Amino acid sequence: MTAATHSTLFPQVPDSADAVLEGLDPEQREVATALRGPVCVLAGAGTGKTRAITHRIAYGVRAGILQPSSVLAVTFTNRAAGEMRGRLRQLGAGGVQARTFHSAALRQLQYFWPKAIGGSLPRLVDRKIQLVADAAAACRIRLDRGELRDATAEIEWSKVTQTVPADYALAAAKAGRQAPRDPAEIAQLYAAYEDLKRARSVIDFEDVLLLTVAVLQDRHDVAEQVRAQYQHFVVDEYQDVSPLQQRLLELWLGDRDDLCVVGDASQTIYSFTGATPDHLLDFRGRHPGATVVKLVRDYRSTPQVVHLANGLLAQARGRAADHRLELVSQRPAGPEPVYTEYADEPAEAEGAARRIRELIDSGVPAAEIAVLFRTNSQSETYEQALADAGVPYQLRGAERFFDRPEVRKAGSALRAAARFGGNDSLLDDVVDLPSQVRAVLSGEGWTTQPPAGSGAVRERWESLAALVGLAQDFAAARAGATLSDLVVELDERAGAQHAPTVQGVTLASLHSAKGLEWDVVFLVGVAEGMMPITYAKTDEQIEEERRLLYVGVTRARERLHLSWALARSPGGRPSRRPSRFLKGLRPGSGTAGWRAAAGGAGGVERGVRGGRGGAEAAAPRRTQRTPARCRVCGRTLTDAGEMKLMRCEGCPSDMDEGVYERLREWRAVQAGRSGQPAFCVFTDKTLMAIAESVPEDERELARIPGVGARKLNRYGADVLAICAGQEGVGLDEGD
């Protein structure tokens, strides 16, 4: 069985129940045919767990053992639920409900609320942070933006662990949580938040689960109606269930045991939200006769990547580590992971961007490359570095594909063309489906060749190109498919948020990368203080950080790059060290003199700011430079934005407003010409820094962070002319 077996976008619908089982390995087949009683699937990363459980459901449906409407499959993200629905549809098991816990609960709550409570369900708020801010104001508790976010997280944790405000302080202490404020204040804020919701007749997402649990507990007639509807349950990512979700699952089940759970304790990375692997690890204790199947054949990653992943877990401690799965790669050998050390974070970002540019130039699709980091605050540096290198990228968690204006407009155009059919002159003499789609989308801006640049124009083209690619795959899988068939497919995918691949390097936090995979992965910032994160203090917290790195490693199919920086900013003290998790795993790290030995070891490189780095390079020179300091108050600067300005955000600015506005006007013109977003020319912070220092020559301009050699050569003359007061610089129509 090959990796390609797992990645076919439009497989032919199997013609029988037995055909559903074709292509499964022995363990996956065991999962698929275990259709009665409790089943526990322990599935390692890349072992085809989604394939196993969707084929299990489809086999049961096609064999007449399961009724589609009686099956409820639950997971944790809309994307995962959409993928599951899509796979089930392709296997001939349409009609099975595949939802998130919240979506399934909300659907039931909306249906039963008039009967169980009366009236209409209170309005659901999308984001609770404003309500928390209002509650804080009512309590006269002043919270900065970070504290407000953390206080909101504490309220969410309290609710999913079924902790009431009066019990918060004790429960938080027992769980080892570090409250952003005094626990008594958080408890007061939590109580005020609940009062405010009642006063405004609104509920939040946690209330959806709490209220559904309450209705099922209090109204036996409602509970029996739900149990009559759903008789067979499948829970994906079971290591991530919270106590509240487990309670809801128990109420759905009643006294039955037709339950299949799938999970991997070594991928538990959301305990800060209340998730716990205990339910997975205790499953056999609660269900002594359960069928247990282990999936360890890794179809995703090369032996070299799998070896590193296994090595990380071999050093782990704790209950989850005691149940770790030793993965066995099923793929041909690939390159060894590459470890690179840089002088500072900007150098690390530039090094990653340079390597990515080389990979893309060598033929690796941008969509098959990802940069993964520990915190979202690291993103900006890599966005800038990729933009400087002319590399298109997309942020994980940004606007959803089918919500993009150009995709909605393209869908309308395709729908109209399908409705007119042969009466549309645009499609005269165009027979095959892909050609029809290209003809329609050419009117929306699609061209055979991508536009230059990496900005908004390129992003729109990439969206349309993804639709063209989808049409080609669809037509190849379904002979005789029409434009109307494709429109139906697009509508179903939009409903499931099952988006086609968009060309662009993915930037994502390690938490948001869960469930995804790429050919090439750059794990950046793998240093002490970031991995594990500084505030991870307890043994349990440290082990979760190790599991987070494990998840990052197992996202890579073929190539894996791990890097760290010795200092945060240029000139900073080189005091950082590689993550403890890499000790004994990267070449030379098992000996005291690893730095001297690593230069010639396979896969170890030295990155130097401004240079290419390489296995042959010596250890980086650690020239002691003056740390960046605020030019107003003298405080040491650590924030990337403040370092660009060379002052604290709160210190007074001496910016020349006229220069700043002329720079913004000039930047807009440059961005329009190149088809890039404005920040790819210069970020707002860089423009502010220029307007504050008003450089007189290239040397002064080059000192400003964000003005590299490439931008100095391209834009330096214009910027200096604007600073000198020359009018109309770069604003004419010509180049």
Side-chain angles (χ1 to χ4, degrees):
M1 182 166 154
T2 66
T5 307
H6 293 275
S7 59
T8 304
L9 289 175
F10 296 103
Q12 296 289 342
V13 176
D15 57 11
S16 67
D18 288 341
V20 172
L21 301 178
E22 292 177 3
L24 299 181
D25 68 31
E27 294 79 23
Q28 292 171 342
R29 181 180 286 258
E30 186 179 356
V31 173
T33 54
L35 293 171
R36 293 299 186 191
V39 179
C40 179
V41 183
L42 301 175
T47 57
K49 67 178 179 64
T50 305
R51 177 178 175 80
I53 58 176
T54 52
H55 280 68
R56 178 181 186 272
I57 295 170
Y59 176 70
V61 169
R62 300 292 296 276
I65 300 171
L66 303 177
Q67 293 300 313
S69 60
S70 72
V71 180
L72 177 59
V74 289
T75 186
F76 284 83
T77 66
N78 288 322
R79 185 197 61 79
E83 180 183 356
M84 195 177 293
R85 286 194 295 271
R87 291 199 191 195
L88 288 169
R89 193 173 73 244
Q90 294 295 336
L91 291 170
V96 172
Q97 291 293 313
R99 296 179 175 273
T100 64
F101 269 101
H102 283 89
S103 172
L106 180 60
R107 193 164 179 257
Q108 293 173 18
L109 197 60
Q110 289 170 329
Y111 182 81
F112 289 111
W113 186 270
K115 174 181 178 180
I117 308 298
S120 57
L121 184 69
R123 180 175 63 86
L124 177 65
V125 292
D126 291 332
R127 298 177 69 250
K128 61 173 66 66
I129 198 161
Q130 185 56 53
L131 273 173
V132 176
D134 293 345
C139 296
R140 298 190 177 182
I141 298 175
R142 297 188 62 181
L143 300 175
D144 62 29
R145 186 167 56 184
E147 289 175 325
L148 182 61
R149 184 180 61 249
D150 292 343
T152 301
E154 288 303 294
I155 291 174
E156 291 175 348
W157 173 82
S158 299
K159 299 183 77 166
V160 300
T161 56
Q162 302 176 82
T163 302
V164 297
D167 296 337
Y168 168 77
L170 183 61
K174 185 177 179 180
R177 294 186 73 82
Q178 295 181 334
R181 299 289 289 263
D182 182 271
E185 281 189 317
I186 297 297
Q188 179 189 6
L189 177 61
Y190 179 14
Y193 169 78
E194 293 298 311
D195 290 340
L196 193 59
K197 283 199 292 102
R198 282 190 289 271
R200 296 183 181 179
S201 297
V202 297
I203 59 175
D204 60 28
F205 276 99
E206 289 70 42
D207 289 330
V208 170
L209 300 184
L210 285 164
L211 290 170
T212 305
V213 165
V215 168
L216 294 176
Q217 285 180 157
D218 296 343
R219 293 291 299 266
H220 296 292
D221 57 332
V222 172
E224 289 306 315
Q225 193 171 342
V226 171
R227 291 166 191 162
Q229 171 70 50
Y230 297 116
Q231 296 160 17
H232 191 91
F233 296 86
V234 177
V235 184
D236 193 14
E237 304 287 4
Y238 193 54
Q239 78 278 354
D240 289 333
V241 295
S242 69
L244 180 57
Q245 289 164 332
Q246 176 64 22
R247 180 58 185 146
L248 177 58
L249 179 61
E250 291 167 354
L251 289 166
W252 281 339
L253 274 168
D255 58 2
R256 299 164 300 172
D257 64 358
D258 274 335
L259 169 66
C260 174
V261 301
V262 189
D264 178 10
S266 296
Q267 297 188 67
T268 304
I269 59 173
Y270 300 110
S271 65
F272 61 91
T273 67
T276 170
D278 289 345
H279 304 299
L280 174 66
L281 299 178
D282 294 338
F283 189 83
R284 282 170 286 185
R286 295 195 310 275
H287 303 278
T291 299
V292 179
V293 184
K294 293 184 179 181
L295 302 182
V296 297
R297 301 176 196 244
D298 188 319
Y299 297 97
R300 175 188 298 159
S301 304
T302 63
Q304 287 74 16
V305 173
V306 168
H307 178 71
L308 176 57
N310 286 337
L312 282 170
L313 293 188
Q315 300 178 356
R317 299 291 181 267
R319 193 175 182 213
D322 292 340
H323 294 80
R324 68 180 181 272
L325 299 168
E326 186 85 8
L327 300 178
V328 181
S329 176
Q330 306 298 297
R331 298 197 57 186
E336 292 289 341
V338 175
Y339 303 85
T340 312
E341 182 177 279
Y342 291 93
D344 51 65
E345 286 186 6
E348 185 179 9
E350 291 167 10
R354 184 173 59 248
R355 288 173 179 269
I356 290 169
R357 179 74 268 171
E358 292 168 354
L359 286 167
I360 293 173
D361 290 344
S362 71
V364 178
E368 291 299 343
I369 304 173
V371 178
L372 307 182
F373 32 75
R374 176 61 181 84
T375 66
N376 287 319
S377 62
Q378 295 168 268
S379 174
E380 182 184 1
T381 305
Y382 289 88
E383 292 177 53
Q384 186 67 63
L386 290 173
D388 287 347
V391 174
Y393 64 85
Q394 55 180 332
L395 290 170
R396 177 72 184 156
E399 186 179 34
R400 297 190 297 187
F401 180 83
F402 287 104
D403 291 339
R404 298 176 185 175
E406 66 271 17
V407 174
R408 291 201 303 269
K409 191 177 177 187
S412 297
L414 290 170
R415 194 170 291 106
R419 191 165 55 246
F420 283 112
N423 297 322
D424 190 338
S425 59
L426 181 67
L427 303 182
D428 286 348
D429 302 322
V430 180
V431 179
D432 64 291
L433 176 60
S435 297
Q436 290 178 338
V437 172
R438 286 192 289 267
V440 173
L441 296 188
S442 64
E444 302 300 322
W446 179 81
T447 55
T448 55
Q449 295 298 320
S454 59
V457 173
R458 177 62 181 251
E459 289 173 1
R460 286 194 294 272
W461 184 89
E462 295 287 3
S463 295
L464 298 177
L467 292 175
V468 171
L470 184 68
Q472 292 170 337
D473 292 332
F474 188 69
R478 297 192 185 181
T482 66
L483 198 54
S484 295
D485 294 331
L486 178 65
V487 168
V488 171
E489 172 69 20
L490 290 175
D491 288 342
E492 290 177 345
R493 280 175 165 255
Q497 286 302 326
H498 185 194
T501 301
V502 177
Q503 288 299 319
V505 172
T506 299
L507 292 175
S509 70
L510 286 165
H511 282 102
S512 65
K514 179 78 165 60
L516 303 175
E517 58 186 75
W518 298 269
D519 285 346
V520 187
V521 168
F522 287 78
L523 281 172
V524 299
V526 190
E528 286 291 308
M530 193 61 74
M531 183 61 67
I533 199 76
T534 305
Y535 52 74
K537 303 294 185 184
T538 68
D539 290 344
E540 292 81 4
Q541 291 168 339
I542 295 295
E543 287 306 314
E544 180 145 339
E545 292 289 300
R546 187 193 307 275
R547 293 194 296 269
L548 190 57
L549 182 57
Y550 170 80
V551 166
V553 167
T554 55
R555 299 310 95 194
R557 297 192 193 104
E558 298 173 5
R559 298 173 183 267
L560 180 63
H561 295 257
L562 301 95
S563 63
W564 58 91
L566 296 175
R568 177 166 185 173
S569 56
R573 189 164 64 90
S575 58
R576 291 181 174 179
R577 294 294 178 266
S579 169
R580 71 190 75 172
F581 300 145
L582 298 180
K583 186 173 177 59
L585 298 176
R586 56 189 176 83
S589 63
T591 63
W594 71 268
R595 287 187 185 280
V604 178
E605 300 191 356
R606 291 287 182 265
V608 183
R609 183 169 177 80
R612 296 182 62 85
E616 73 285 359
R621 288 178 293 174
R622 299 185 180 181
T623 306
Q624 187 68 36
R625 297 186 229 175
T626 304
R629 296 186 182 278
C630 174
R631 54 189 167 80
V632 180
C633 71
R635 181 178 70 85
T636 300
L637 302 176
T638 57
D639 178 77
E642 291 183 339
M643 286 191 287
K644 279 191 176 182
L645 294 175
M646 291 305 293
R647 65 171 174 82
C648 304
E649 286 278 7
C651 285
S653 168
D654 54 356
M655 181 173 67
D656 186 320
E657 296 286 352
V659 169
Y660 181 66
E661 289 305 318
R662 288 195 296 275
L663 285 170
R664 282 175 58 87
E665 183 182 357
W666 165 83
R667 181 181 67 173
V669 172
Q670 299 302 318
R673 287 176 181 169
S674 62
Q676 295 180 319
F679 71 80
C680 288
V681 180
F682 284 118
T683 65
D684 286 345
K685 288 284 174 61
T686 300
L687 289 191
M688 290 175 67
I690 294 171
E692 288 185 358
S693 61
V694 192
E696 296 182 354
D697 54 38
E698 286 192 355
R699 183 176 230 173
E700 292 181 4
L701 179 59
R703 290 199 191 105
I704 297 173
V707 182
R710 177 173 167 271
K711 291 190 176 182
L712 186 66
N713 291 334
R714 185 171 184 179
Y715 303 126
D718 277 4
V719 170
L720 291 172
I722 291 170
C723 289
Q726 297 179 24
E727 297 294 330
V729 176
L731 303 182
D732 57 292
E733 293 300 318
D735 289 321

